[in-house]
Structures are given as structure tokens and as C-alpha cells.
Amino acid sequence: NRRIVLASRPVGAPTSDNFRLETLAKPEPKQGEVLLRTIYLSLDPYMRGRMSDAKSYAEPVALGEVMIGGTVCQVEVSNHPDFAVGEWVLAYNVGWQSYAVSGAEGLLKLGANPSHPSYALGVMGMPGFTAYMGLLDIGAPKAGETIVVAAATGPVGATVGQIGKLKGARVVGIAGGADKCRHAVEVLGFDACIDHKSADFAAELAAACPDGIDVYFENVGGAVFDTVIPLLNTSARIPVCGLISQYNATELPAGPDRLSLLMGLILTKRIKVQGFIIFDDYGHRYGEFEQDMSQWLAEGKIQYREQIEQGLENAPEQLIGLLEGKNFGKLVIQVNQP
Ligand code: NDP
């Protein structure tokens, strides 16, 4: 059994020294337990938060403990009456390791032969659910309104934009680089997508939003949010989903402090700004999402791009890259072959 543990806490961007690969004996399941073989490990931005011991909505990973993460596994040995050998499950108690023993609790059954098992980590799982609830419940877009979303080709942003189009909105993405922007327009069907690394980013975003912005789905914060602010319409909604541009920050942005200007704008334009943590706030509504998203996928109305990288040992480097925008699509590590 191979596993990756948190060796030290990062200051700023994580480095490979913050992780340690360990090799142990394969664990043996007791009565009422199963041995899980990890096929896919999801890498997600929230993992940066769990590496830090700053106070947050969730406990940090302890030093020396296995890194946390969602996995799609197959049952290799079953000592539990409800699980058959070969069956697929979604697990949140396995993390960055090639095998793990688990009780039945916390395992979500995916069936004997799912057509796309890794989708449970992306478009049919946590990121897709995040996009669906944040956009529809907090953003509440109406037909003809303008939605802006950054990290537009990632699993959250791509899903936000495509649901926005299904609801009749104009959708403008923001992404890093020409390839990602082209994908957003040509494959995902966004009306426009602007490169936040472009020298003319602010002017290009303004030109792509001639009627202003009604829903800004906040995934990144920082300079992108600064550019969005002047374009916000009266009664705009901002679901605050993530602030990835700040996850590696060690200090507040340089002054002057613009908080009072922002609060003034929120007041005069009656802007709704609401954060959410997907399973804490919306866990009870997973069924609605599952039903709609399965149907949209079956009808070909939602496109989904994954970046599948081979080998558990490459997970640290891939997570470091995710926080710098190096991934293109939902980042998944293939840990074992099915
Ligand atoms: P992505 O796969 O989209 O990966 C992150 C992307 O963020 C990168 O590819 C990059 O895209 C962009 N990015 C990284 N650094 C910067 C930067 N400095 N400035 C601008 N963009 C940057 O991630 P997800 O779709 O999984 O997650 C998107 C957001 O949603 C994250 O903030 C995450 O924390 C949040 N989230 C929140 C949840 C909640 O419950 N509130 C649940 C799930 C996710 P590009 O190259 O295009 O800029």
C-alpha cells in the first residue's frame, strides 16, 4: 500500500517537501469492513486549505496523516453483506492512498459497472453540485441576464456557464490563456471568454458585458474580482464559492484599502453577496441536482472535460500546478487500473 501524508505545512505555495510518500503493508479488513482499491483520486482547490492550520470551516489534516480527498474505489475484499467484490464506491475516508479499509458508513454506491466512474468526482459530484446550487439558488439568473464566471474551464466554472446557458442567460467566462478561452466558447458554448492574463483584460471584459453583470459567480477573487466590480449592475448577485487566487497568499493585498468603497457599492447597488459551503448548506438537496444533471448529460446538454494523470506519486506536483492554473479540466489522478 502506498500513501501520501502531509509532512509539513506550507507557507505560501505548497512544495513537494510538504508531502511524503510512504509504503506500508496492505491493510486487512475485519468483519463488517471492506478493502477498497483506489482507482481515481480527485484533486481540488480546498486541499490547500486543509494543509494549513489556520481556523476554517473544516479541521486541518494532521501532520503525518494521509492527505484528504474524494476517491472512486472498487471493493477488492468484502467482509460486509451489502458490498460485493468489484463493486464501485465513492469514498471520502480514503484520501491519497492506493488501498484502504472502510466500514460501510461514508461509502456511496456507484454500481457494478458505471459508465463513467470518475464523473462522481466532478460533473456528477461535488464540483458539479457546487456549480448547480451556487448558481441556481444564490445567483438565481433570469433569461437574458449576464453571468460572469472565472476558472471557466474547471469543473465548477464550466458547469456554472453551461447551466447558465440552459437557463437562457448570456454567459461570459474568464480563463487563463487562449486554449482555455477557445474551449469555453467552442465546446462549452459560452457567449465569450476573456483571458485574465491579457494586457487589456479590463477593457475586453467590459466589451464582452455590454449590459453589465447580473450574476458574478466568484471562484477566484483578487485581481479578477477587482476588474468585475465596476461592471456590476444594480441588484447583482454574487455567490461566493471560492477565492483560489488567494489560497497561497501570505499577506493581504497591497493598499489602499478598498473595503469601504466595496461596501458602498454593495449598498447603493443593493448587491447580494453570499458565501456557501456545498455539503454543509445544500447536502439535503443533492437529489435535485442528481436528477437534473443526469438528464442533461444523457441529453448531451452538458460537456465535461477531465485531465487524468497517472500515478499517486504525481499527486503533489499536480495539486501544486492546480493552484497555479496549470490544469485544464477536472484534475483526477489514476491511482490503480480498474
Ligand atoms: P479548477 O479545476 O477550475 O482549478 C482551479 C483554476 O483556478 C485553475 O485552473 C485556474 O484557471 C484558476 N486559478 C488558479 N489560480 C488563479 C489566480 N491566481 N487567478 C485567477 N485564476 C486562478 O477548480 P474547481 O472548479 O474545482 O474549483 C473552482 C473554485 O470553486 C475554487 O475556488 C474552489 O475552491 C471552489 N469550490 C468551492 C466549493 C464550496 O463549497 N464553496 C466547493 C468546490 C469548489 P485559469 O487558468 O482558467 O485561470
Side-chain angles (χ1 to χ4, degrees), residues 105-143:
E105 69 288 343
L107 299 184
L108 191 90
K109 284 172 168 275
L110 299 176
N113 200 7
S115 50
H116 298 287
S118 59
Y119 281 26
L121 301 171
V123 68
M124 276 306 298
M126 190 274 282
F129 186 31
T130 299
Y132 179 91
M133 278 299 156
L135 181 66
L136 297 181
D137 197 61
I138 303 174
K142 300 186 213 45

Side-chain angles (χ1 to χ4, degrees), residues 19-71:
F19 304 91
R20 185 170 63 241
L21 180 64
E22 298 180 342
T23 306
L24 286 84
K26 220 190 241 186
E28 285 183 19
K30 296 200 263 302
Q31 206 48 44
E33 292 180 335
V34 293
L35 175 65
L36 298 177
R37 172 182 164 85
T38 309
I39 310 298
Y40 299 111
L41 164 67
S42 180
L43 294 184
D44 297 272
Y46 75 83
M47 292 169 173
R48 175 63 185 85
R50 302 297 173 83
M51 296 176 75
S52 159
D53 59 5
K55 196 168 163 42
S56 183
Y57 63 91
E59 286 297 308
V61 175
L63 290 177
E65 282 300 315
V66 177
M67 279 288 295
I68 190 169
T71 55

